[in-house]
Amino acid sequence: AQSVAQPEDQVNVAEGNPLTVKCTYSVSGNPYLFWYVQYPNRGLQFLLKYITGDNLVKGSYGFEAEFNKSQTSFHLKKPSALVSDSALYFCAVRASGAGSYQLTFGKGTKLSVIP
Amino acid sequence: DSGVTQTPKHLITATGQRVTLRCSPRSGDLSVYWYQQSLDQGLQFLIQYYNGEERAKGNILERFSAQQFPDLHSELNLSSLELGDSALYFCASSGRRGQAGELFFGEGSRLTVL
């Protein structure tokens, strides 16, 4: 079985400061890892993914994530937070050899960027 | 805009009733996934269809059923509704060649059971 842990229910950061949203995963075999963002009353929007290759993945809106196999982590980062980044962030995983593309999501981390 | 369309956006009904949620995937996508989002359970995978056939099953209750039609749209049927079924139901699609598995989500259908 695969699982995702997002240890922080909420992260607060001042505008202009760097932000990190943490994610650790458990999966059999090689992982495919994803970050999604959800704004209030909206669906989930894809931010970035790690499939293979470079451990540092760049995505939409200036976000990036670092894959660390030894720590089974895939933390989301941004060098300078914006108030508009305030939203709910979900990390997700699936096994690379899985027949289905269904993703297992973490419980989400609410990011609040304070002006 | 993800290209995935869900209707209705909001639905209020009573316990014991039955509702149908509809999803149209992105053009060209063969797979449809249904997820339930609630405050206490987070995002739970319910079921996946691929080109009309059931591909994977998650935490879907026996009172719930789904199907995918020849035109690839999908419907999620929820029956004998209980208060605890109140949630946001998302449909997602995937399957275009060259995309390694990210799902594209609709805006969701918010179900309130009174």
Side-chain angles (χ1 to χ4, degrees):
Chain A
Q2 53 201 33
S3 64
V4 174
Q6 293 182 241
E8 301 154 319
D9 291 337
Q10 177 144 358
V11 169
N12 297 321
V13 63
E15 186 177 22
N17 282 3
L19 69 87
T20 299
V21 182
K22 296 179 181 176
C23 169
T24 59
Y25 67 90
S26 174
V27 70
S28 298
N30 293 320
Y32 285 178
L33 293 156
F34 304 81
W35 276 101
Y36 284 80
V37 60
Q38 184 181 27
Y39 297 99
N41 300 313
R42 302 297 300 275
L44 278 72
Q45 295 178 32
F46 169 73
L47 273 181
L48 51 79
K49 66 184 177 186
Y50 171 82
I51 303 299
T52 187
D54 194 350
N55 289 343
L56 185 63
V57 178
K58 294 189 184 298
S60 306
Y61 312 119
F63 284 94
E64 58 189 27
E66 187 165 11
F67 171 63
N68 187 316
K69 188 172 184 177
S70 63
Q71 297 185 5
T72 62
S73 67
F74 190 56
H75 301 330
L76 181 70
K77 300 181 180 184
K78 187 173 182 181
S80 179
L82 300 172
V83 172
S84 57
D85 293 330
S86 298
L88 190 57
Y89 289 81
F90 290 94
C91 180
V93 69
R94 74 171 178 95
S96 61
S100 167
Y101 281 12
Q102 65 101 350
L103 300 178
T104 298
F105 286 86
K107 289 199 174 292
T109 298
K110 183 178 179 182
L111 173 67
S112 294
V113 181
I114 303 159
Chain B
D1 183 5
S2 67
V4 178
T5 303
Q6 288 188 248
T7 58
K9 292 191 185 306
H10 302 276
L11 193 54
I12 301 174
T13 189
T15 54
Q17 295 298 305
R18 171 190 168 95
V19 299
T20 297
L21 309 180
R22 182 189 169 103
C23 169
S24 293
R26 293 188 316 159
S27 176
D29 283 357
L30 300 178
S31 280
V32 169
Y33 308 75
W34 287 98
Y35 281 83
Q36 180 193 57
Q37 185 181 30
S38 59
L39 283 176
D40 54 344
Q41 294 292 325
L43 269 166
Q44 296 288 314
F45 169 68
L46 296 178
I47 198 164
Q48 178 205 353
Y49 279 82
Y50 176 82
N51 203 19
E53 296 192 1
E54 183 182 306
R55 174 63 69 92
K57 211 166 188 176
N59 301 319
I60 189 166
L61 300 172
E62 285 192 9
R63 300 184 285 108
F64 296 180
S65 65
Q67 59 185 126
Q68 186 180 27
F69 295 86
D71 67 353
L72 300 177
H73 91 272
S74 177
E75 292 181 357
L76 178 67
N77 300 297
L78 315 175
S79 62
S80 302
L81 286 168
E82 302 175 0
L83 295 178
D85 297 328
S86 296
L88 198 50
Y89 291 84
F90 284 111
C91 169
S93 73
S94 75
R96 286 189 195 166
R97 186 170 298 192
Q99 291 176 332
E102 63 260 42
L103 305 186
F104 294 85
F105 284 79
E107 297 285 289
S109 292
R110 183 173 294 280
L111 173 65
T112 303
V113 182
L114 301 176

